[in-house]
Amino acid sequence: MSTDPLPSWIRELRLSIKESSERGLIVSTKWATDMLNAIPPDRRRAAGGGPEDLSMRMQSADISDPEDQEEEDFFTYARQVFDAKEFQRVATILRDCESPKAVFLRLYARYLESERVAQLQWWKLSTSREQPPAPINDDLHELLELTGKPTDPWILFLQGIIYYRLSRRHDCMRAALASVATRPWNWSAWELLCSAIETYAELDHVLATLPLDPKHPMSICFRVKVANDFYNSGRGDFNAVCALRRMYFCNNLDDAEKQFDSNLAAEPFRLDDIDAHASTLWLANKKERIAELAAHFAGAPQDKPEYYCLMGNHYSARKEHEKAVRAFRKATYLDRTYGAAWTLMGHEYYEMANYHAAIESYRRAIGVNAKDYRAWSGLGRSYSALKLHIYAIYYNRKSTEIKPGDARSWMELTAAFEEVSKYRDAAACCRRAIGLDPDRENGIRHRYKLAWYHKRAGDHQQALETYLEIIRICRENYNLMRLKENIQSIVAFAELQMTHESSFGNIVDAYIILKNAPNPEDVPLPRATSNDPYAATEAIKRQREGQMYIKQYMKENPKEFQKVRDLLARLEGSIWRLSAERKQELRRRSLLNGIPGLKVNLV
C-alpha cells in the first residue's frame, strides 16, 4: 500500500486553484499554479483526476457547491462583472444568492468597493496630510456583521481580512487558522496569518496550534515565510523551501543571486520578487548587473510596483538619489502597502541628509510591516543624525529584538549608548556584534571599541585583556597587522599599564609590547604545507606582502610609531632601575604569555 501523499496533495492543489479562481483571488490562484507547475509533469500525470474527484472525498466543508442552474447562471454573470471591477454591480447581482461561493463573492466585492471609496476619500476622515497606507473605512464593521459565524473556509478567510483591517490581530489569527485547517493551499490565508503575528510569543502559539502536519508543504512554506518576516535564520526547523528569499534576508548573497538568476533564466519576464533580486545585487555592489536587469525590464508593464522598485535600486546604485526617491514613491502610489519601497525610500532620503523625510518614510514602512528591522534601524540611524540619542536607542533596540543576528544593528545601538555615556551598555552591545560579524577586520575594529568602552567604564582589567586579544589576533595574521587598531591597541595597552603602575600596572609588559610593535623584519615566513618549490615561492610572496602592508602603514601613520618610540624612551630608564627580583616578579604576573612570537629580552 502506497503512503506517498503527493498525489493527494496535487489533487487538493488543483481544487484550490479552481476555487480561488472562481472567487477572484488572483494572488492565491497565481501562487497555487506556480506550485503546481513546479511539480514534475510525470508526477502530475500520475496523480490523475482533478478537483471533481477530490470533491467526493472532502468531508470538512461543502466543496462542490451544488446550486440550481439559475443561481449558477447568476454567479457566472457576476464573476464576469467582477473581472471588470464593477464591484457594486456584483453585490446587486448576487443579492439573493445563498451558496457559500456566491455569498463570498458578494461580500468580497462589497469589501473591495468600500476600500476603493475609502482610498479616494481618505482626506475626509483622516487628520494626516498624507494618504495613510490603510485608509479609514467605516463600512468594515457592517461587513463583519454580514459574515456572521461562518463555517465556509473562504468566508472565514474574508473575515480574517476584515479583522486585520480593524487591528483585531488575535481574531484575525483565529479566523485564518480556521480557514487553512480545511483549505491549506490558500496561500493568501497564510500570508494574512503571517501579517497578524508581531511577536515571537505569538509565533510560538501559532506554531503550537497549527492545524497541519509539520511535514505538510504549506506548513513548511509558512515557517519559511514567517522566518523571512522575522529575518531569522536560526529558530526551529525552518526549511529551505523558499530558499532564494531566505538567503537574501540572511545575507547569503552569493547563493541568493545564483537562485534568482536561475529563476530569471526559467522565466525571463517574471517580475515577482525582482525587488529582492535587485536588492541582493545592490548589497553585493554589483551595479552592472542591476543596470542589465533595468534594461531587460525596460519594456515591462509600468503598472507594477516591483518595476519601480527595481528602477529605484538602479538609480540608487548610480548615486542618483533624487531619481531613486521618485521611483520608490511611484511604487508606493501603486501599492500603499508596499513596505519595502517605503523602507528603501527612507534609505535614499537618509543619503540625501533629509532626515525628517527619512523618518516619515520609515514610519510608513513600520505601519505596513512592524517586523521590518531595516525600518526600525533606519529610524534609529536618522534620530542619531539628529542628535536625539534616546530615541535612537529605543528604535535600534527594537531592530535588534526583531533580528538579533544582525551585527550592524548592534553596532548602531552601541554608538547610541556611547553618545549618552552608557559605556557598560555599549560594551555589552559591542560584544554581541563581535560574535555575529564574520569579517575579521571588522572584528578587530569592534574589539578596539570594546576595549575603549571598558576603559571609560573603569573596567581596566577587561580593557587590558581586550587590547591583548587584538594584538594576539593581529600577530597570528600578518594581513591584520597593518590595521591602525593594532598599533593603537599596543599604545593604549602600554599607557594603561604605565598609568596604573602603583596598582595593577606592569611596566615590564608595557616595555615588551612596545618593543614588539609592528616591524617589517618581524613578519614571519609562512610555513609551506609541502616540499613543493611553488608552495615555498608562494610563502615568500605572502611574507613580502605582509612586509609591504606594514611599511605602507608606517608611512601613512608616522605619529603612531613616533608615540611608540617616545613611550619606549620613557620606559627604558625605569626598566634599568628595576632590581632583578622585581623584574622576575613582574614577569611572573605578566599578561603576555598567550601572545605568540614576542621578544622578551630585558637586558
Side-chain angles (χ1 to χ4, degrees), residues 1 27-28 32 41 106 118 132 281 388 408 421 427 534 554 570 596:
M1 181 178 178
V27 173
S28 180
R106 181 176 70 240
L281 296 171
L388 299 172
R408 288 171 296 182
S421 301
Y534 175 77
M554 293 176 70
R570 286 172 53 191

Side-chain angles (χ1 to χ4, degrees), residues 121-348:
Q121 300 182 356
W122 65 269
W123 49 274
K124 291 184 178 180
L125 298 173
S126 176
T127 57
S128 173
R129 291 186 298 173
E130 299 236 1
Q131 181 178 353
I136 299 171
N137 187 345
D138 289 336
D139 295 333
L140 291 176
H141 293 283
E142 180 186 354
L143 287 170
L144 184 60
E145 291 180 4
L146 290 174
T147 61
K149 296 181 179 179
T151 57
D152 180 76
W154 300 99
I155 299 178
L156 277 166
F157 165 59
L158 177 58
Q159 190 180 63
I161 293 175
I162 298 172
Y163 277 135
Y164 184 75
R165 281 287 282 110
L166 292 171
S167 300
R168 294 169 60 176
R169 293 188 301 104
H170 290 88
D171 289 329
C172 172
M173 285 187 274
R174 175 183 54 76
L177 284 169
S179 177
V180 299
T182 52
R183 289 297 183 278
W185 300 94
N186 177 15
W187 180 243
S188 295
W190 290 104
E191 287 195 317
L192 176 66
L193 182 59
C194 288
S195 299
I197 299 171
E198 289 190 358
T199 65
Y200 281 120
E202 293 172 351
L203 171 59
D204 292 335
H205 174 73
V206 168
L207 291 177
T209 57
L210 211 58
L212 292 181
D213 187 281
K215 295 182 180 179
H216 191 285
M218 297 306 290
S219 178
I220 296 173
C221 288
F222 167 72
R223 291 165 183 266
V224 174
K225 164 67 176 170
V226 81
N228 286 345
D229 284 356
F230 279 95
Y231 301 89
N232 193 332
S233 61
R235 279 180 60 88
D237 57 347
F238 294 143
N239 203 295
V241 173
C242 298
L244 67 166
R245 290 189 68 87
R246 182 177 177 184
M247 286 184 288
Y248 160 57
F249 286 124
C250 297
N251 296 325
N252 192 351
L253 300 179
D254 291 336
D255 291 341
E257 183 188 349
K258 291 177 183 176
Q259 187 65 52
F260 278 124
D261 288 341
S262 174
N263 284 5
L264 190 63
E267 294 187 59
F269 299 101
R270 179 189 177 98
L271 274 171
D272 293 351
D273 294 323
I274 198 65
D275 53 342
H277 190 173
S279 295
T280 300
L281 296 171
W282 191 94
L283 290 171
N285 198 29
K286 296 189 177 181
K287 302 176 183 178
E288 296 81 5
R289 285 286 293 117
I290 299 177
E292 290 174 10
L293 272 184
H296 176 74
F297 285 99
Q302 298 190 8
D303 59 346
K304 299 285 187 180
E306 292 88 352
Y307 168 78
Y308 288 104
C309 201
L310 166 62
M311 296 307 298
N313 277 294
H314 172 55
Y315 290 129
S316 177
R318 295 171 55 180
K319 306 297 182 184
E320 297 180 23
H321 301 299
E322 292 183 1
K323 289 184 179 180
V325 165
R326 287 198 292 270
F328 291 130
R329 188 168 291 282
K330 285 180 181 178
T332 62
Y333 285 157
L334 291 170
D335 184 359
R336 307 296 293 181
T337 63
Y338 196 2
W342 287 113
T343 300
L344 294 172
M345 191 194 307
H347 293 346
E348 297 306 310

